[in-house]
Amino acid sequence: MGLKMIIGLAVAVLAAIAGAFSLGKSRGTNIAETKADQQRTEERAAATEAVAERRVEATKGARDVQQTVSHLPDDDVDRELREKFTRKT
């Protein structure tokens, strides 16, 4: 009876160690996945912010051009377009 009891106790200890290992591994995996999700969310937010900033700058530039053009006489607008917006060969 003593040998069976020692073997049973050893099996129980090994099962407890294996269970603790797998529990720790699953917790570590969950933590890593959570961090990765958070990082992806932060990267998306940064990209969205960058796009919004570029859009604001483009809108400001277009508004400035429109304001400049509206204050120029037609001949000056034609001359500016010919000088600045021609294809280079």
Side-chain angles (χ1 to χ4, degrees):
M1 285 266 199
L3 185 59
K4 286 184 182 180
M5 188 176 202
I6 292 173
I7 291 174
L9 185 60
V11 169
V13 168
L14 289 176
I17 291 171
F21 176 76
S22 75
L23 179 64
K25 184 177 177 186
S26 70
R27 280 194 70 213
T29 300
N30 288 339
I31 291 171
E33 288 174 353
T34 302
K35 284 183 181 179
D37 287 343
Q38 182 179 0
Q39 183 176 358
R40 281 191 292 270
T41 302
E42 290 171 358
E43 289 171 355
R44 282 189 204 115
T48 301
E49 185 177 347
V51 167
E53 288 174 4
R54 285 193 302 268
R55 193 173 289 157
V56 166
E57 290 300 317
T59 303
K60 284 181 185 177
R63 185 179 57 229
D64 292 345
V65 168
Q66 177 135 15
Q67 186 176 8
T68 301
V69 168
S70 68
H71 288 97
L72 290 174
D74 289 341
D75 291 340
D76 289 343
V77 172
D78 290 341
R79 183 177 42 77
E80 290 272 332
L81 287 172
R82 276 194 303 277
E83 289 175 1
K84 294 186 178 180
F85 296 102
T86 57
R87 290 187 184 185
K88 296 183 176 161
T89 55

